[in-house]
């Protein structure tokens, strides 16, 4: 792992222009900076700063794996973020200098994962909590960038600790909470110790998913949301439970997140997507809305006249305190993005697909223009027809669906196109035919007619899933790549290319005398189209399969992406990497260069869609 990390830092880096996506599974991952102008949130290994007024994004790069928690200091001078890493490795915490947008300190003590972070009220200390495999709490001195002291997070009798929260007024007091444990900690600086006092919750043995920290101005109470759907109110001085509610209807699927308003009322986000404003004295619901999937973040802007809410569906909403109506401000895929296609010629539009939906985006303003939903089905692959009049798509229920890109209405469904799901698809330049591949290994050619379609031919050579199809520009030949280890050029004169890899992707060189392939053996191979002979082989990745590949229109460069999460730009003739893009937190699933070679779009298994500046101007 460490070798890989070293390798990735070398050479020129790709410039990330925009990111569509938000990891809505990070509890309290969405924050508003005290300057009131920026949202802060995680996506993969990147922390994104997004200006609220014009959505301009900036990126903090430095983590080597998914960001798992975020905290912002009260002064706004610092942001802290923690990450996950592999078992046996230390997980990094980065303290960022907000003004400089740079790394202020890198702190490494916790094993495998940083679970939660909290700043003290005056920016003096940062407290960090390690994940299950670590189980310790550490207090750091921000000025010296050193650990002051640490302690196991929960007593042996209790379960895992899940969250930490600092006092609003006292530099030496913070709270931790988790499965069967709730403690108030005091920092004893002269002796470099932290001492916990376990709170007494009586018969209420709850798993505290989240603890909102100490709320009222004079630090009287701690409010805790629990997985069983109630809110506990604990007296901070005595550590005793003073109240619990709501009495009748608990929050379905637990309380994920809580925030205290200036008025003293509580904002509550539940695992079922219910978002409410409730009284902190009676726990009575004052206002309520239902959002898509569980609420995981509530971020107040300034005094809380406006607040932002993030959900597990990777959606962000804006609310005003007055009308309490959700305004959807950002959407993204919340499961693996399977494929991306860029509209031919214009480079204005692109489409992505994942479980249940196809989404259309504008390339310059990463905003969702259209969503086409097919419930309980997964779209495996998609393409724009060259004339721009239709989107063709391959689905796991064995159907090919053709949609109109403006309205999203269904223009055609080809039923039972493939027995074990449709896994790959491509359209001919003349827009009259579709070539599809299936899970059973068959390749089929369909003719589109004004009132339907007909099957022209079925080609049975592949023995396993067809992963990728590319059609030659004269529409007379196509190449298919399969996980059976064969790449077949159909000419309908048959050429076969065989390698011991499960092929994932194949491309024609624009001059069409060569193809390049890649897959699980991590090699990029060049082949002669006429006799199927191997020309050269490059080591495409040091770790993990290559899942996506695309060639620029002038044929001088190609791009690859795969399980090592790196976007690589290659010189076709020299066979060397010219630029590397580091930001994905999941395996890269697909990658495309737009036709004017200005932009590169990559998608990943964590639902992210990233837009990069393509570093080589086109010579066409």
């Amino acid at each position: 792992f460490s070798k890989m990390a070293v390798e990735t830092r070398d050479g020129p880096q790709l410039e990330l222009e925009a990111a569509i996506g938000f990891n809505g599974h990070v509890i309290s991952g969405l924050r508003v900076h005290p300057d009131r102008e920026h949202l802060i949130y995680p996506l993969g290994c990147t922390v994104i700063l997004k200006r609220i007024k014009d959505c301009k994004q900036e990126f903090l790069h430095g983590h080597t794996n998914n960001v798992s928690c975020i905290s912002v200091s009260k002064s706004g001078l610092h942001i802290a973020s923690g990450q996950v890493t592999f078992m046996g490795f230390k997980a990094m915490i980065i303290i960022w200098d907000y003004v400089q947008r740079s790394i202020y300190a890198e702190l490494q003590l916790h094993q495998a994962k940083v679970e939660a972070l909290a700043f003290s009220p005056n920016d003096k200390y940062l407290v960090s909590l390690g994940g299950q495999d670590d189980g310790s709490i550490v207090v750091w001195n921000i000025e010296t960038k050193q650990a002051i002291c640490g302690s196991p997070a929960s007593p042996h009798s209790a379960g895992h600790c899940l969250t930490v929260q600092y006092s609003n007024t006292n530099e030496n007091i913070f709270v931790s909470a988790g499965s069967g444990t709730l403690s108030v900690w005091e920092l004893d600086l002269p002796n470099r110790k932290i001492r916990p006092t376990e709170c007494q919750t009586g018969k209420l043995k709850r798993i505290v998913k989240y603890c909102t920290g100490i709320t009222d101005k004079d630090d009287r109470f701690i409010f805790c949301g629990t997985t069983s759907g109630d809110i506990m109110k604990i007296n901070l001085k005595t550590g005793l439970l003073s109240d619990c509610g709501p009495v009748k209807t608990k929050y379905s699927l637990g309380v994920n997140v809580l925030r205290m308003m200036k008025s003293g009322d509580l904002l509550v986000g539940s695992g079922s997507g219910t978002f409410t404003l409730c009284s902190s004295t009676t726990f009575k619901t004052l206002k309520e809305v239902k959002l898509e999937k569980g609420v995981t973040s509530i971020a107040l802007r300034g005094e809380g006249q406006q607040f932002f809410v993030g959900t597990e569906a990777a959606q962000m909403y804006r609310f005003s305190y007055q009308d309490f109506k959700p305004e959807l401000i950002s959407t993204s895929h919340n499961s693996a993005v399977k494929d991306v296609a860029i509209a031919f010629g214009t480079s204005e539009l692109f489409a992505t697909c994942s479980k249940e939906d196809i989404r259309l985006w504008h390339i310059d303003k990463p905003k969702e223009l259209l969503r086409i939903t097919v419930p309980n089905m997964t779209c495996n692959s998609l393409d724009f027809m060259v004339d721009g009049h239709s989107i063709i798509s391959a689905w796991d229920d064995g159907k090919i669906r053709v949609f109109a890109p403006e309205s999203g209405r269904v223009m055609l469904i080809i039923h039972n196109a493939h027995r074990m799901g449709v896994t790959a698809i491509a359209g001919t330049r003349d827009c009259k035919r579709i070539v599809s591949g299936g899970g059973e290994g068959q390749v089929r050619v369909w003719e589109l007619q004004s009132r339907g379609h007909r099957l022209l031919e079925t080609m049975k050579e592949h023995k396993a899933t067809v992963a990728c199809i590319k059609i030659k520009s004269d529409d007379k030949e196509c190449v298919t790549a399969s996980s059976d280890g064969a790449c077949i050029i159909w000419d309908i004169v048959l050429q076969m290319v065989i390698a011991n890899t499960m092929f994932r992707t194949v491309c024609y060189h624009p001059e069409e005398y060569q193809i390049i392939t890649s897959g699980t053996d991590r090699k990029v191979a060049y082949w002669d189209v006429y006799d199927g002979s191997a020309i050269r082989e490059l080591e495409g990745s040091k770790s993990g399969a290559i899942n996506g590949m695309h060639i620029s229109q002038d044929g001088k460069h190609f791009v690859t992406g795969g399980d090592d999460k790196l976007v690589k730009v290659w010189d076709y003739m020299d066979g060397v990497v010219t630029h590397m893009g580091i930001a994905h937190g999941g395996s890269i699933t697909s990658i495309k260069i737009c036709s004017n070679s200005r932009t590169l779009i990559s998608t990943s298994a964590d639902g992210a869609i990233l837009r990069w500046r393509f570093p080589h101007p086109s010579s066409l």
Side-chain angles (χ1 to χ4, degrees), residues 17-156:
E17 291 185 322
I20 298 173
F22 156 53
N23 186 350
H25 295 283
V26 174
I27 295 284
S28 284
L30 175 63
R31 306 277 179 147
V32 177
H33 190 270
D35 68 10
R36 304 185 184 190
E37 288 176 18
H38 291 86
L39 295 176
I40 300 165
Y41 57 93
L43 176 64
C45 346
T46 307
V47 176
I48 298 179
L49 311 179
K50 182 165 158 181
R51 201 155 60 191
I52 293 169
K53 70 164 190 270
D54 59 5
C55 296
K56 184 179 175 299
Q57 292 175 320
E58 293 171 90
F59 307 98
L60 302 179
H61 298 299
H63 286 287
T64 54
N65 207 318
N66 282 334
V67 174
S68 52
C69 54
I70 285 182
S71 186
V72 182
S73 71
K74 249 186 179 164
S75 68
L77 292 175
H78 297 110
I79 297 171
S81 51
Q83 70 170 64
V84 292
T85 184
F86 304 103
M87 279 297 289
F89 287 93
K90 291 214 178 349
M92 185 162 47
I93 298 165
I94 297 180
I95 300 180
W96 307 87
D97 178 322
Y98 180 74
V99 180
Q100 302 288 329
R101 308 286 200 259
S102 63
I103 294 177
Y104 169 77
E106 292 184 19
L107 315 173
Q108 277 182 324
L109 266 183
H110 296 294
Q111 292 289 333
K113 180 182 182 185
V114 184
E115 191 75 52
L117 294 163
F119 283 98
S120 70
N122 302 325
D123 271 34
K124 234 179 176 165
Y125 308 120
L126 175 72
V127 59
S128 62
L129 168 66
Q132 290 193 4
D133 307 303
D134 179 82
S136 63
I137 285 180
V138 177
V139 178
W140 306 83
N141 181 320
I142 293 174
E143 195 187 349
T144 64
K145 309 180 186 181
Q146 300 294 315
I148 299 169
C149 55
S151 162
S154 43
H156 288 304

